[in-house]
Amino acid sequence: MVSDSVLIERLRQILTVSDLETATAGTVRRKLEEELVVDLLDRKAFVRDQIDVFLRTHVQETPNDDVQEVEDVKEEENGDSCSQEEEEEEKESVENDDNSSETGSKKKARRSEKVNGEEKRKGGFYKPCALSPQLQKLVGEPELGRPEVVKKIWAYIWEKKLQNPQNKRKILCDDVLSGIFWAKAIDMFQMNKALSKHIWPIDEKDAAEVKSSVKSTQKQGREEGENKLLEVQKAMLSAFSRLLCNFLQVDFRIPNNFGFEAFMVSTRMEGRIEGLEKTMGKVQDEIGSANPTKDTDMMAENSYNRRSDEFWEVRPQFREETRPRRLELPLFSSDNPYGWLNRAERYFHFNGIDDKEKLEAAAVCFEGNLYVVLMGLQQTGSVAQYREDFELLSAPLKDANDAVLMGIFTKGLRGYVAWTRRLCRRTRPDTTPVRTLARNSSQIRSNESGDVDQHQEESWLPYRKGETGEGRKSAIVIVVAGGRVIVAGISIGKKENSDL
DNA sequence: AAAGGCTTTGCTGCCGTACT
DNA sequence: AGTACGGCAGCAAAGCCTTT
């Protein structure tokens, strides 16, 4: 039988040299048993208590090392010292202040002091991010933490006096700012959102560089293929978004190396189309009823196909002049996407194609390649961004099978495999409200897509205890693909969740 | 003081599973 | 049944500003 004192002494020795991040009560106890050649099963509680005592003293000492050093210096300066008990009381009182009486602003001030006092942090918020060329131009640095970018932006706004005097929340964009925000004015609350399009994590870039440098020659071909696919994706996204922007009468923009502005969510898009159609209808009526003038004729020339019969009755000669000539629009070529874009634009110009027709014609040309591109699309940012990209790309696939589209969509989701596995384990079909919804709704598809057929059908319809009330991890995802609404039960992260 | 946006990191607490 | 552990969700943190 080993005495308590011997046990404690040896225990402390073990803990001193152990990695406290990984050591557990069990591993420590087993080590003790091994070294002292005794069975400590009946003294488990004692061992755990002693570990707790050690950890309490250790943990108190470690994070306050710096404070302790400062206090030591003070003590030396003052020539006196207070007892450990008094120190502990002081610490406690500080903690109590923190928890109860201290106001938010004081806390904030204290935090700020802390940040200013310490060496500028490099992680967390201050983690340097890569900046877009437009943003680099403004802040004068290739990489910067987000808060510092915001600081510099505000400094620029003040310097140039770009706040609207009537409403200081509005920022009037000069050339530099409009190059970043793609607007003539922007609400300051929207500013950070717009900025996020220009701030990219460096890790991904670094990781990609490291990855590519260590790739074996065998993998190089595949990588080149992926790069090419990415190039094609970019080109198609660029071309397609340009057409869409023309159609929707919004600014054409390719804000970063791959991303889209988030105008493509179907509901918003439908709203814009509706609005656009109404406006066009009004313009059409006005043109139809007005006397022909040079200006209105020019407007009419630009929208040959949108004119009413009444309009042509007034200007029969104009119909002859602007009749589209026959010329084939080339199919999209992944070998030369920019070349295709050029030729397509010339074709549109030559035939006087209006915006809606441009969109439809381009969609037909894209269709063959779209599955390939869609398959290559991966979630790199938020689910919402990924969904929007997916919706944009899949929009022309009107004949596509919903389940296939949903399968491709989920396959590109980050962490997909992990959550489907977990969901398979935890599914409780009979009590799942989502499942009930799925059975009753013709819009909801189960996993018929094949790419996840190793999972139970329930894996599409996630369940987690308490879901009825909170649905902590699960949500219904609605994807607009191929012009149809596709709904699926899905498990997603917390941030994405809020976006739904 | 809260609101509104966004970012990453790390802590806490909860839950489920595996093991004793 | 109790315990240990893994994994995940939720939250808070700094920074910026003006209006209510």
Side-chain angles (χ1 to χ4, degrees):
Chain A
M1 182 73 178
V2 181
S3 70
D4 286 352
S5 57
V6 172
L7 202 59
I8 292 168
E9 191 188 351
R10 188 65 204 123
L11 176 70
R12 294 194 168 201
Q13 284 170 359
I14 290 173
L15 285 172
T16 311
V17 295
S18 297
D19 179 3
L20 297 176
E21 299 293 322
T22 54
T24 65
T27 58
V28 172
R29 179 171 49 83
R30 279 189 283 275
K31 203 162 185 180
L32 266 176
E33 285 174 337
E34 206 178 300
E35 286 188 18
L36 301 173
V37 201
V38 286
D39 183 6
L40 297 172
L41 210 60
D42 55 337
R43 296 167 81 180
K44 246 162 83 173
F46 175 77
V47 171
R48 200 169 45 241
D49 287 346
Q50 290 307 315
I51 291 173
D52 282 345
V53 170
F54 176 86
L55 286 178
R56 268 201 298 276
T57 51
H58 182 82
V59 167
Q60 272 183 359
E61 281 163 19
T62 310
N64 290 329
D65 279 344
D66 294 343
V67 177
Q68 189 65 50
E69 276 174 27
V70 173
E71 284 173 358
D72 288 342
V73 172
K74 278 183 188 169
E75 282 166 21
E76 280 172 22
E77 283 171 3
N78 297 337
D80 62 3
S81 63
C82 49
S83 69
Q84 199 180 343
E85 280 170 10
E86 282 169 348
E87 275 177 33
E88 278 172 9
E89 274 174 20
E90 273 179 23
K91 280 175 198 165
E92 270 179 27
S93 72
V94 168
E95 278 168 17
N96 289 339
D97 285 348
D98 269 331
N99 292 336
S100 57
S101 60
E102 191 175 42
T103 60
S105 61
K106 279 183 188 169
K107 277 183 188 174
K108 212 172 176 178
R110 181 172 292 189
R111 277 187 239 121
S112 302
E113 279 169 23
K114 220 163 104 186
V115 171
N116 293 333
E118 288 170 10
E119 194 188 339
K120 281 269 181 182
R121 288 194 225 168
K122 296 288 176 194
F125 306 117
Y126 292 90
K127 188 182 174 187
C129 294
L131 309 179
S132 74
Q134 298 99 312
L135 203 53
Q136 281 183 32
K137 197 175 156 190
L138 193 149
V139 303
E141 309 253 3
E143 293 169 2
L144 219 54
R146 168 173 283 271
E148 303 195 76
V149 171
V150 177
K151 250 188 201 175
K152 295 220 172 191
I153 293 268
W154 275 108
Y156 181 83
I157 290 167
W158 292 328
E159 185 193 332
K160 303 278 179 183
K161 294 178 181 166
L162 295 174
Q163 279 175 294
N164 184 337
Q166 271 79 48
N167 181 0
K168 293 194 168 183
R169 285 182 180 187
K170 297 280 177 201
I171 311 298
L172 307 168
C173 300
D174 63 359
D175 288 346
V176 178
L177 285 186
S178 58
I180 295 169
F181 300 130
W182 301 94
K184 287 179 182 173
I186 188 167
D187 190 285
M188 79 180 192
F189 290 149
Q190 303 296 318
M191 200 168 76
N192 281 299
K193 192 181 180 182
L195 268 181
S196 66
K197 308 281 177 192
H198 293 269
I199 302 175
W200 314 313
I202 287 174
D203 290 357
E204 286 175 17
K205 198 180 79 183
D206 292 346
E209 280 169 11
V210 172
K211 213 176 169 184
S212 64
S213 69
V214 298
K215 284 270 182 194
S216 68
T217 46
Q218 280 183 324
K219 288 182 182 173
Q220 272 179 5
R222 198 176 124 198
E223 197 182 59
E224 279 169 17
E226 284 170 359
N227 288 341
K228 198 174 175 186
L229 183 63
L230 194 67
E231 274 300 309
V232 174
Q233 283 181 4
K234 280 187 205 169
M236 289 184 68
L237 289 169
S238 163
F240 209 82
S241 61
R242 179 174 294 193
L243 292 166
L244 268 165
C245 292
N246 282 341
F247 175 54
L248 299 174
Q249 295 190 348
V250 296
D251 291 336
F252 169 68
R253 47 191 135 168
I254 303 294
N256 57 32
N257 60 347
F258 189 66
F260 276 90
E261 254 314 320
F263 65 79
M264 190 46 204
V265 171
S266 58
T267 48
R268 278 178 280 164
M269 180 178 158
E270 279 162 16
R272 289 188 183 186
I273 292 171
E274 236 178 70
L276 185 63
E277 279 176 354
K278 277 183 191 168
T279 312
M280 287 180 80
K282 273 188 191 171
V283 172
Q284 187 173 305
D285 293 343
E286 281 167 17
I287 292 170
S289 58
N291 289 327
T293 65
K294 199 180 174 182
D295 285 344
T296 50
D297 281 352
M298 280 177 71
M299 283 169 70
E301 188 179 359
N302 288 336
S303 48
Y304 171 91
N305 291 303
R306 312 296 284 179
R307 303 284 75 81
S308 64
D309 292 338
E310 197 181 317
F311 175 79
W312 297 121
E313 277 173 28
V314 179
R315 306 169 187 77
Q317 80 291 354
F318 200 74
R319 176 174 279 198
E320 279 306 308
E321 287 167 14
T322 55
R323 174 183 292 169
R325 297 159 203 173
R326 285 185 178 276
L327 184 71
E328 280 188 19
L329 175 61
L331 286 174
F332 179 82
S333 160
S334 57
D335 292 325
N336 185 9
Y338 293 103
W340 176 84
L341 187 61
N342 251 328
R343 282 155 63 194
E345 285 188 339
R346 275 186 290 160
Y347 165 83
F348 294 146
H349 178 74
F350 190 67
N351 287 292
I353 303 287
D354 75 4
D355 289 336
K356 192 183 177 194
E357 283 185 334
K358 279 183 192 175
L359 190 66
E360 287 169 357
V364 171
C365 294
F366 279 166
E367 202 159 335
N369 307 61
L370 269 182
Y371 285 104
V372 180
V373 176
L374 274 178
M375 293 288 279
L377 191 62
Q378 291 286 323
Q379 179 198 349
T380 52
S382 68
V383 168
Q385 279 170 347
Y386 168 63
R387 189 189 63 196
E388 288 181 11
D389 288 351
F390 185 89
E391 287 177 3
L392 184 56
L393 271 176
S394 65
L397 297 175
K398 292 190 167 54
D399 297 326
N401 180 295
D402 287 0
V404 170
L405 285 173
M406 206 60 216
I408 298 171
F409 175 79
T410 49
K411 227 177 167 184
L413 277 170
R414 195 164 43 197
Y416 167 67
V417 174
W419 63 253
T420 45
R421 277 197 194 133
R422 201 180 63 251
L423 287 168
C424 283
R425 278 211 312 269
R426 296 181 183 177
T427 298
R428 296 179 194 174
D430 295 337
T431 52
T432 307
V434 178
R435 183 178 176 79
T436 313
L437 180 61
R439 281 186 177 139
N440 296 339
S441 168
S442 60
Q443 284 187 316
I444 292 183
R445 302 286 184 270
S446 61
N447 61 334
E448 300 151 349
S449 60
D451 58 52
V452 288
D453 59 4
Q454 70 272 30
H455 301 301
Q456 300 284 317
E457 183 189 294
E458 293 84 52
S459 67
W460 272 95
L461 309 164
Y463 172 84
R464 190 178 167 90
K465 194 177 175 185
E467 186 182 38
T468 333
E470 296 146 27
R472 205 170 158 191
K473 290 183 187 175
S474 311
I476 299 288
V477 166
I478 301 170
V479 179
V480 179
R484 296 178 308 280
V485 176
I486 304 173
V487 185
I490 213 164
S491 175
I492 56 175
K494 52 186 174 171
K495 283 182 182 172
E496 292 83 352
N497 197 357
S498 64
D499 189 64
L500 293 166

PDB file of all heavy atoms in Angstrom, chain A residues 7 10-11 13-19 23-38 40 47:
ATOM      1  N   LEU A   7       2.126   9.113  -3.029  1.00  0.00           N
ATOM      2  CA  LEU A   7       1.285   9.161  -4.237  1.00  0.00           C
ATOM      3  C   LEU A   7       1.216  10.585  -4.804  1.00  0.00           C
ATOM      4  O   LEU A   7       1.405  10.822  -5.999  1.00  0.00           O
ATOM      5  CB  LEU A   7      -0.115   8.669  -3.859  1.00  0.00           C
ATOM      6  CG  LEU A   7      -0.982   8.145  -4.993  1.00  0.00           C
ATOM      7  CD1 LEU A   7      -0.298   6.969  -5.679  1.00  0.00           C
ATOM      8  CD2 LEU A   7      -2.329   7.703  -4.450  1.00  0.00           C
ATOM      9  N   ARG A  10       4.609  11.745  -6.315  1.00  0.00           N
ATOM     10  CA  ARG A  10       4.891  11.142  -7.633  1.00  0.00           C
ATOM     11  C   ARG A  10       3.916  11.682  -8.695  1.00  0.00           C
ATOM     12  O   ARG A  10       4.293  11.923  -9.830  1.00  0.00           O
ATOM     13  CB  ARG A  10       4.779   9.611  -7.516  1.00  0.00           C
ATOM     14  CG  ARG A  10       5.228   8.874  -8.765  1.00  0.00           C
ATOM     15  CD  ARG A  10       6.718   9.087  -9.026  1.00  0.00           C
ATOM     16  NE  ARG A  10       7.035   8.885 -10.446  1.00  0.00           N
ATOM     17  CZ  ARG A  10       7.608   9.790 -11.215  1.00  0.00           C
ATOM     18  NH1 ARG A  10       7.945  10.967 -10.733  1.00  0.00           N
ATOM     19  NH2 ARG A  10       7.861   9.524 -12.483  1.00  0.00           N
ATOM     20  N   LEU A  11       2.677  11.873  -8.257  1.00  0.00           N
ATOM     21  CA  LEU A  11       1.645  12.401  -9.161  1.00  0.00           C
ATOM     22  C   LEU A  11       2.059  13.781  -9.686  1.00  0.00           C
ATOM     23  O   LEU A  11       1.962  14.067 -10.880  1.00  0.00           O
ATOM     24  CB  LEU A  11       0.321  12.505  -8.411  1.00  0.00           C
ATOM     25  CG  LEU A  11      -0.859  13.118  -9.170  1.00  0.00           C
ATOM     26  CD1 LEU A  11      -1.321  12.179 -10.270  1.00  0.00           C
ATOM     27  CD2 LEU A  11      -2.010  13.403  -8.237  1.00  0.00           C
ATOM     28  N   GLN A  13       5.033  14.968  -9.840  1.00  0.00           N
ATOM     29  CA  GLN A  13       6.195  14.830 -10.732  1.00  0.00           C
ATOM     30  C   GLN A  13       5.732  14.458 -12.150  1.00  0.00           C
ATOM     31  O   GLN A  13       6.204  15.014 -13.139  1.00  0.00           O
ATOM     32  CB  GLN A  13       7.149  13.750 -10.191  1.00  0.00           C
ATOM     33  CG  GLN A  13       7.962  14.222  -9.003  1.00  0.00           C
ATOM     34  CD  GLN A  13       8.718  13.075  -8.339  1.00  0.00           C
ATOM     35  OE1 GLN A  13       8.612  11.924  -8.763  1.00  0.00           O
ATOM     36  NE2 GLN A  13       9.458  13.390  -7.291  1.00  0.00           N
ATOM     37  N   ILE A  14       4.791  13.536 -12.190  1.00  0.00           N
ATOM     38  CA  ILE A  14       4.288  13.096 -13.503  1.00  0.00           C
ATOM     39  C   ILE A  14       3.595  14.258 -14.218  1.00  0.00           C
ATOM     40  O   ILE A  14       3.821  14.511 -15.396  1.00  0.00           O
ATOM     41  CB  ILE A  14       3.311  11.909 -13.337  1.00  0.00           C
ATOM     42  CG1 ILE A  14       4.089  10.667 -12.904  1.00  0.00           C
ATOM     43  CG2 ILE A  14       2.558  11.632 -14.631  1.00  0.00           C
ATOM     44  CD1 ILE A  14       3.212   9.473 -12.551  1.00  0.00           C
ATOM     45  N   LEU A  15       2.762  14.957 -13.448  1.00  0.00           N
ATOM     46  CA  LEU A  15       2.004  16.065 -14.072  1.00  0.00           C
ATOM     47  C   LEU A  15       2.937  17.169 -14.550  1.00  0.00           C
ATOM     48  O   LEU A  15       2.675  17.816 -15.567  1.00  0.00           O
ATOM     49  CB  LEU A  15       0.995  16.630 -13.068  1.00  0.00           C
ATOM     50  CG  LEU A  15      -0.231  15.755 -12.829  1.00  0.00           C
ATOM     51  CD1 LEU A  15      -1.056  16.310 -11.683  1.00  0.00           C
ATOM     52  CD2 LEU A  15      -1.081  15.652 -14.081  1.00  0.00           C
ATOM     53  N   THR A  16       4.009  17.389 -13.820  1.00  0.00           N
ATOM     54  CA  THR A  16       4.938  18.459 -14.208  1.00  0.00           C
ATOM     55  C   THR A  16       5.539  18.198 -15.582  1.00  0.00           C
ATOM     56  O   THR A  16       5.736  19.128 -16.365  1.00  0.00           O
ATOM     57  CB  THR A  16       6.077  18.569 -13.158  1.00  0.00           C
ATOM     58  OG1 THR A  16       5.491  18.612 -11.871  1.00  0.00           O
ATOM     59  CG2 THR A  16       6.890  19.819 -13.375  1.00  0.00           C
ATOM     60  N   VAL A  17       5.812  16.926 -15.862  1.00  0.00           N
ATOM     61  CA  VAL A  17       6.456  16.628 -17.153  1.00  0.00           C
ATOM     62  C   VAL A  17       5.434  16.198 -18.220  1.00  0.00           C
ATOM     63  O   VAL A  17       5.789  15.917 -19.346  1.00  0.00           O
ATOM     64  CB  VAL A  17       7.521  15.519 -17.001  1.00  0.00           C
ATOM     65  CG1 VAL A  17       8.652  15.995 -16.118  1.00  0.00           C
ATOM     66  CG2 VAL A  17       6.899  14.239 -16.449  1.00  0.00           C
ATOM     67  N   SER A  18       4.140  16.158 -17.837  1.00  0.00           N
ATOM     68  CA  SER A  18       3.126  15.730 -18.809  1.00  0.00           C
ATOM     69  C   SER A  18       2.629  16.899 -19.637  1.00  0.00           C
ATOM     70  O   SER A  18       2.696  18.055 -19.208  1.00  0.00           O
ATOM     71  CB  SER A  18       1.938  15.096 -18.086  1.00  0.00           C
ATOM     72  OG  SER A  18       2.331  13.943 -17.418  1.00  0.00           O
ATOM     73  N   ASP A  19       2.126  16.562 -20.782  1.00  0.00           N
ATOM     74  CA  ASP A  19       1.439  17.559 -21.624  1.00  0.00           C
ATOM     75  C   ASP A  19       0.014  17.687 -21.099  1.00  0.00           C
ATOM     76  O   ASP A  19      -0.818  16.807 -21.300  1.00  0.00           O
ATOM     77  CB  ASP A  19       1.430  17.088 -23.083  1.00  0.00           C
ATOM     78  CG  ASP A  19       0.717  18.075 -23.973  1.00  0.00           C
ATOM     79  OD1 ASP A  19       0.291  19.143 -23.491  1.00  0.00           O
ATOM     80  OD2 ASP A  19       0.571  17.781 -25.169  1.00  0.00           O
ATOM     81  N   ALA A  23      -3.050  15.041 -21.465  1.00  0.00           N
ATOM     82  CA  ALA A  23      -3.126  14.081 -20.365  1.00  0.00           C
ATOM     83  C   ALA A  23      -4.525  14.051 -19.771  1.00  0.00           C
ATOM     84  O   ALA A  23      -5.192  15.077 -19.668  1.00  0.00           O
ATOM     85  CB  ALA A  23      -2.111  14.465 -19.297  1.00  0.00           C
ATOM     86  N   THR A  24      -4.982  12.863 -19.382  1.00  0.00           N
ATOM     87  CA  THR A  24      -6.277  12.727 -18.721  1.00  0.00           C
ATOM     88  C   THR A  24      -6.052  12.070 -17.367  1.00  0.00           C
ATOM     89  O   THR A  24      -4.975  11.519 -17.100  1.00  0.00           O
ATOM     90  CB  THR A  24      -7.226  11.850 -19.548  1.00  0.00           C
ATOM     91  OG1 THR A  24      -6.677  10.529 -19.583  1.00  0.00           O
ATOM     92  CG2 THR A  24      -7.378  12.381 -20.964  1.00  0.00           C
ATOM     93  N   ALA A  25      -7.096  12.114 -16.549  1.00  0.00           N
ATOM     94  CA  ALA A  25      -6.985  11.501 -15.217  1.00  0.00           C
ATOM     95  C   ALA A  25      -6.642  10.022 -15.355  1.00  0.00           C
ATOM     96  O   ALA A  25      -5.850   9.481 -14.568  1.00  0.00           O
ATOM     97  CB  ALA A  25      -8.295  11.689 -14.456  1.00  0.00           C
ATOM     98  N   GLY A  26      -7.248   9.411 -16.346  1.00  0.00           N
ATOM     99  CA  GLY A  26      -7.024   7.978 -16.554  1.00  0.00           C
ATOM    100  C   GLY A  26      -5.583   7.661 -16.905  1.00  0.00           C
ATOM    101  O   GLY A  26      -4.968   6.756 -16.328  1.00  0.00           O
ATOM    102  N   THR A  27      -5.043   8.428 -17.871  1.00  0.00           N
ATOM    103  CA  THR A  27      -3.674   8.141 -18.316  1.00  0.00           C
ATOM    104  C   THR A  27      -2.680   8.388 -17.187  1.00  0.00           C
ATOM    105  O   THR A  27      -1.734   7.630 -17.011  1.00  0.00           O
ATOM    106  CB  THR A  27      -3.299   9.005 -19.536  1.00  0.00           C
ATOM    107  OG1 THR A  27      -3.438  10.380 -19.175  1.00  0.00           O
ATOM    108  CG2 THR A  27      -4.180   8.707 -20.735  1.00  0.00           C
ATOM    109  N   VAL A  28      -2.948   9.438 -16.417  1.00  0.00           N
ATOM    110  CA  VAL A  28      -2.042   9.752 -15.305  1.00  0.00           C
ATOM    111  C   VAL A  28      -2.111   8.637 -14.261  1.00  0.00           C
ATOM    112  O   VAL A  28      -1.091   8.182 -13.736  1.00  0.00           O
ATOM    113  CB  VAL A  28      -2.403  11.116 -14.679  1.00  0.00           C
ATOM    114  CG1 VAL A  28      -1.600  11.347 -13.412  1.00  0.00           C
ATOM    115  CG2 VAL A  28      -2.136  12.229 -15.681  1.00  0.00           C
ATOM    116  N   ARG A  29      -3.337   8.209 -13.970  1.00  0.00           N
ATOM    117  CA  ARG A  29      -3.501   7.151 -12.968  1.00  0.00           C
ATOM    118  C   ARG A  29      -2.791   5.867 -13.414  1.00  0.00           C
ATOM    119  O   ARG A  29      -2.077   5.217 -12.636  1.00  0.00           O
ATOM    120  CB  ARG A  29      -4.997   6.876 -12.743  1.00  0.00           C
ATOM    121  CG  ARG A  29      -5.265   5.757 -11.735  1.00  0.00           C
ATOM    122  CD  ARG A  29      -6.747   5.680 -11.390  1.00  0.00           C
ATOM    123  NE  ARG A  29      -7.608   5.680 -12.549  1.00  0.00           N
ATOM    124  CZ  ARG A  29      -7.888   4.591 -13.261  1.00  0.00           C
ATOM    125  NH1 ARG A  29      -7.347   3.443 -12.943  1.00  0.00           N
ATOM    126  NH2 ARG A  29      -8.694   4.670 -14.288  1.00  0.00           N
ATOM    127  N   ARG A  30      -2.947   5.531 -14.692  1.00  0.00           N
ATOM    128  CA  ARG A  30      -2.305   4.305 -15.194  1.00  0.00           C
ATOM    129  C   ARG A  30      -0.781   4.402 -15.116  1.00  0.00           C
ATOM    130  O   ARG A  30      -0.096   3.442 -14.825  1.00  0.00           O
ATOM    131  CB  ARG A  30      -2.788   4.030 -16.613  1.00  0.00           C
ATOM    132  CG  ARG A  30      -4.151   3.343 -16.636  1.00  0.00           C
ATOM    133  CD  ARG A  30      -4.500   2.880 -18.039  1.00  0.00           C
ATOM    134  NE  ARG A  30      -4.935   3.986 -18.891  1.00  0.00           N
ATOM    135  CZ  ARG A  30      -6.192   4.432 -18.933  1.00  0.00           C
ATOM    136  NH1 ARG A  30      -7.122   3.884 -18.176  1.00  0.00           N
ATOM    137  NH2 ARG A  30      -6.521   5.423 -19.723  1.00  0.00           N
ATOM    138  N   LYS A  31      -0.299   5.612 -15.368  1.00  0.00           N
ATOM    139  CA  LYS A  31       1.141   5.816 -15.298  1.00  0.00           C
ATOM    140  C   LYS A  31       1.637   5.626 -13.861  1.00  0.00           C
ATOM    141  O   LYS A  31       2.683   5.023 -13.611  1.00  0.00           O
ATOM    142  CB  LYS A  31       1.488   7.226 -15.793  1.00  0.00           C
ATOM    143  CG  LYS A  31       2.918   7.345 -16.268  1.00  0.00           C
ATOM    144  CD  LYS A  31       3.082   8.580 -17.127  1.00  0.00           C
ATOM    145  CE  LYS A  31       4.474   8.645 -17.695  1.00  0.00           C
ATOM    146  NZ  LYS A  31       4.694   9.813 -18.522  1.00  0.00           N
ATOM    147  N   LEU A  32       0.832   6.172 -12.939  1.00  0.00           N
ATOM    148  CA  LEU A  32       1.163   6.022 -11.519  1.00  0.00           C
ATOM    149  C   LEU A  32       1.198   4.545 -11.137  1.00  0.00           C
ATOM    150  O   LEU A  32       2.118   4.079 -10.450  1.00  0.00           O
ATOM    151  CB  LEU A  32       0.106   6.726 -10.662  1.00  0.00           C
ATOM    152  CG  LEU A  32       0.389   8.161 -10.243  1.00  0.00           C
ATOM    153  CD1 LEU A  32      -0.810   8.721  -9.494  1.00  0.00           C
ATOM    154  CD2 LEU A  32       1.616   8.213  -9.352  1.00  0.00           C
ATOM    155  N   GLU A  33       0.165   3.818 -11.585  1.00  0.00           N
ATOM    156  CA  GLU A  33       0.075   2.377 -11.273  1.00  0.00           C
ATOM    157  C   GLU A  33       1.309   1.649 -11.793  1.00  0.00           C
ATOM    158  O   GLU A  33       1.887   0.802 -11.123  1.00  0.00           O
ATOM    159  CB  GLU A  33      -1.183   1.795 -11.921  1.00  0.00           C
ATOM    160  CG  GLU A  33      -2.468   2.180 -11.211  1.00  0.00           C
ATOM    161  CD  GLU A  33      -3.706   1.702 -11.963  1.00  0.00           C
ATOM    162  OE1 GLU A  33      -3.612   1.474 -13.181  1.00  0.00           O
ATOM    163  OE2 GLU A  33      -4.751   1.573 -11.320  1.00  0.00           O
ATOM    164  N   GLU A  34       1.691   2.054 -13.017  1.00  0.00           N
ATOM    165  CA  GLU A  34       2.829   1.413 -13.669  1.00  0.00           C
ATOM    166  C   GLU A  34       4.118   1.657 -12.867  1.00  0.00           C
ATOM    167  O   GLU A  34       4.880   0.727 -12.599  1.00  0.00           O
ATOM    168  CB  GLU A  34       2.960   1.995 -15.070  1.00  0.00           C
ATOM    169  CG  GLU A  34       3.638   1.077 -16.080  1.00  0.00           C
ATOM    170  CD  GLU A  34       3.644   1.761 -17.436  1.00  0.00           C
ATOM    171  OE1 GLU A  34       2.567   2.062 -17.964  1.00  0.00           O
ATOM    172  OE2 GLU A  34       4.742   2.030 -17.943  1.00  0.00           O
ATOM    173  N   GLU A  35       4.291   2.922 -12.480  1.00  0.00           N
ATOM    174  CA  GLU A  35       5.541   3.288 -11.814  1.00  0.00           C
ATOM    175  C   GLU A  35       5.615   2.774 -10.382  1.00  0.00           C
ATOM    176  O   GLU A  35       6.672   2.366  -9.904  1.00  0.00           O
ATOM    177  CB  GLU A  35       5.702   4.808 -11.832  1.00  0.00           C
ATOM    178  CG  GLU A  35       6.075   5.299 -13.220  1.00  0.00           C
ATOM    179  CD  GLU A  35       6.440   6.777 -13.216  1.00  0.00           C
ATOM    180  OE1 GLU A  35       6.722   7.313 -12.139  1.00  0.00           O
ATOM    181  OE2 GLU A  35       6.417   7.358 -14.289  1.00  0.00           O
ATOM    182  N   LEU A  36       4.466   2.821  -9.708  1.00  0.00           N
ATOM    183  CA  LEU A  36       4.476   2.401  -8.293  1.00  0.00           C
ATOM    184  C   LEU A  36       4.109   0.932  -8.122  1.00  0.00           C
ATOM    185  O   LEU A  36       4.112   0.417  -7.009  1.00  0.00           O
ATOM    186  CB  LEU A  36       3.513   3.277  -7.485  1.00  0.00           C
ATOM    187  CG  LEU A  36       3.820   4.780  -7.509  1.00  0.00           C
ATOM    188  CD1 LEU A  36       2.723   5.582  -6.838  1.00  0.00           C
ATOM    189  CD2 LEU A  36       5.159   5.056  -6.830  1.00  0.00           C
ATOM    190  N   VAL A  37       3.760   0.311  -9.262  1.00  0.00           N
ATOM    191  CA  VAL A  37       3.366  -1.103  -9.277  1.00  0.00           C
ATOM    192  C   VAL A  37       2.275  -1.370  -8.241  1.00  0.00           C
ATOM    193  O   VAL A  37       2.404  -2.237  -7.372  1.00  0.00           O
ATOM    194  CB  VAL A  37       4.579  -2.050  -9.036  1.00  0.00           C
ATOM    195  CG1 VAL A  37       4.251  -3.446  -9.555  1.00  0.00           C
ATOM    196  CG2 VAL A  37       5.815  -1.529  -9.714  1.00  0.00           C
ATOM    197  N   VAL A  38       1.210  -0.588  -8.341  1.00  0.00           N
ATOM    198  CA  VAL A  38       0.053  -0.797  -7.451  1.00  0.00           C
ATOM    199  C   VAL A  38      -1.233  -0.642  -8.261  1.00  0.00           C
ATOM    200  O   VAL A  38      -1.219  -0.078  -9.356  1.00  0.00           O
ATOM    201  CB  VAL A  38       0.013   0.242  -6.298  1.00  0.00           C
ATOM    202  CG1 VAL A  38       1.075  -0.061  -5.272  1.00  0.00           C
ATOM    203  CG2 VAL A  38       0.147   1.646  -6.851  1.00  0.00           C
ATOM    204  N   LEU A  40      -4.572   1.258  -8.429  1.00  0.00           N
ATOM    205  CA  LEU A  40      -5.161   2.480  -7.853  1.00  0.00           C
ATOM    206  C   LEU A  40      -6.634   2.646  -8.211  1.00  0.00           C
ATOM    207  O   LEU A  40      -7.186   3.743  -8.087  1.00  0.00           O
ATOM    208  CB  LEU A  40      -4.370   3.706  -8.321  1.00  0.00           C
ATOM    209  CG  LEU A  40      -2.911   3.755  -7.889  1.00  0.00           C
ATOM    210  CD1 LEU A  40      -2.186   4.892  -8.573  1.00  0.00           C
ATOM    211  CD2 LEU A  40      -2.816   3.910  -6.375  1.00  0.00           C
ATOM    212  N   VAL A  47      -7.016  10.288  -6.711  1.00  0.00           N
ATOM    213  CA  VAL A  47      -6.081  10.711  -7.767  1.00  0.00           C
ATOM    214  C   VAL A  47      -6.657  11.902  -8.527  1.00  0.00           C
ATOM    215  O   VAL A  47      -5.979  12.903  -8.786  1.00  0.00           O
ATOM    216  CB  VAL A  47      -5.792   9.536  -8.723  1.00  0.00           C
ATOM    217  CG1 VAL A  47      -5.009  10.009  -9.939  1.00  0.00           C
ATOM    218  CG2 VAL A  47      -5.045   8.427  -7.998  1.00  0.00           C
TER     219      VAL A  47
END
